Amino acid sequence: RSTPKPSAAASDVYKRQPVLFARACRLCVAALGSAAPAAADDDAAAGGAATTQRVVEACIGTGLLPALTVSATNPGLVHELWKVLELLPYTARYRAYGVLHAKMDEGTVAELALAKAKTADETKRMMRRLSKENTKQYGRHLGKITHCNPGVVFDTILGQIQAYDNLIVPVVEMMKYLTPLSFDVLSFELLVHLSDPDKVRLKDDGLNVSLWMKSLSSFCGNLYKKYPNIELVGLLQYIANTLKSVSYTHLRAHETLR
């Protein structure tokens, strides 16, 4: 049987009705929770569990994540959504983040495009004022603006870090107020930037690593050392995959984690 898909209008409904958003999250948690034990004992049930996961992923990708992106700041909804996401493997979570990332880059949905522009502008203003002396103040602000749209926030921050490595320490310091969902999206955005095929990884001399790669690797090391509870599986898998390629420069991210 084909997997049912929620309507694209679902995100608008969830945005307008936070109670419905929370209930949808709890239904997803219940569905995943009931499917997992059965799948462990029966092959047929395993197929059903896979279908359940696909339906939940569709609900997240076409409804819940877009709705959160265009909603007013609501930490309760972030918590409810993370309770669903943490039950999924990192590949499924990153896939959902990637779908939203692509939708926002396309700019075909006016509401998403507006949310991206506003969030990016607010993040840039914050970064212009950030220093080692005010990380606590802006750390709370960062925690607030990442509730709804963490992908855009971290995409903007990582872009600036690659150009200005003096921002690495204060940025890592002010991330103490982030939610588990925000940290998870940050890990995804790091992989997006690290794996960008359009970026040159070596300087013109062909020997030294480019500034952006060096800065991003240093940021990875500082981040994962300070916040060891962040899931490392995605980054480690990326590093393992690069071992099969000829691009040794990717391994700087591994070097900084030692």
Side-chain angles (χ1 to χ4, degrees):
R1 272 172 20 181
S2 62
T3 302
K5 296 181 180 180
S7 166
S11 61
D12 187 59
V13 175
Y14 291 140
K15 180 195 75 170
R16 299 177 187 279
Q17 301 186 47
V19 173
L20 184 60
F21 183 105
R23 287 178 178 174
C25 289
R26 292 170 189 175
L27 283 173
C28 289
V29 169
L32 292 172
S34 62
D41 302 322
D42 181 44
D43 290 341
T51 299
T52 298
Q53 180 174 317
R54 287 196 297 271
V55 173
V56 170
E57 285 185 45
C59 289
I60 293 170
T62 64
L64 297 173
L65 266 179
L68 186 67
T69 298
V70 296
S71 297
T73 299
N74 190 328
L77 296 185
V78 176
H79 177 68
E80 293 287 353
L81 182 56
W82 177 245
K83 287 197 293 186
V84 182
L85 288 167
E86 68 179 343
L87 297 177
L88 298 173
Y90 84 91
T91 50
R93 300 196 309 270
Y94 287 11
R95 187 159 52 243
Y97 304 151
V99 169
L100 181 61
H101 186 98
K103 282 182 181 178
M104 300 191 81
D105 281 349
E106 288 172 3
T108 54
V109 181
E111 206 167 10
L112 288 177
L114 180 60
K116 177 180 179 179
K118 286 183 175 180
T119 304
D121 184 59
E122 188 173 1
T123 305
K124 289 174 183 177
R125 289 201 306 270
M126 177 188 69
M127 293 298 289
R128 284 196 295 267
R129 295 171 172 81
L130 179 65
S131 67
K132 292 182 180 180
E133 289 72 36
N134 59 17
T135 55
K136 186 174 183 180
Q137 173 190 345
Y138 285 108
R140 292 195 178 97
H141 184 62
L142 177 67
K144 183 178 179 180
I145 63 176
T146 55
H147 280 321
C148 296
N149 212 338
V152 173
V153 174
F154 296 133
D155 186 46
T156 304
I157 289 176
L158 292 176
Q160 295 204 12
I161 282 175
Q162 290 168 67
Y164 308 102
D165 58 0
N166 61 308
L167 291 173
I168 292 175
V169 173
V171 166
V172 170
E173 184 65 30
M174 75 173 179
M175 288 183 169
K176 64 177 71 174
Y177 301 104
L178 295 186
T179 64
L181 174 56
S182 293
F183 274 127
D184 203 49
V185 175
L186 172 58
S187 296
F188 164 76
E189 289 293 341
L190 275 169
L191 292 184
V192 170
H193 282 262
L194 283 169
S195 60
D196 188 343
D198 296 327
K199 291 181 177 178
V200 178
R201 288 168 170 75
L202 292 177
K203 293 182 179 179
D204 293 339
D205 59 13
L207 298 174
N208 296 304
V209 177
S210 296
L211 174 62
W212 76 266
M213 185 69 182
K214 184 177 179 180
S215 298
L216 207 55
S217 299
S218 177
F219 175 75
C220 285
N222 280 275
L223 177 71
Y224 288 106
K225 286 175 184 176
K226 187 169 182 62
Y227 307 105
N229 291 331
I230 304 176
E231 186 173 319
L232 267 170
V233 177
L235 179 61
L236 293 177
Q237 184 61 59
Y238 168 74
I239 292 172
N241 291 341
T242 58
L243 284 169
K244 302 174 185 178
S245 72
V246 296
S247 184
Y248 76 93
T249 53
H250 293 70
L251 298 182
R252 285 196 62 87
H254 176 262
E255 178 185 350
T256 57
L257 293 175
R258 291 185 303 178

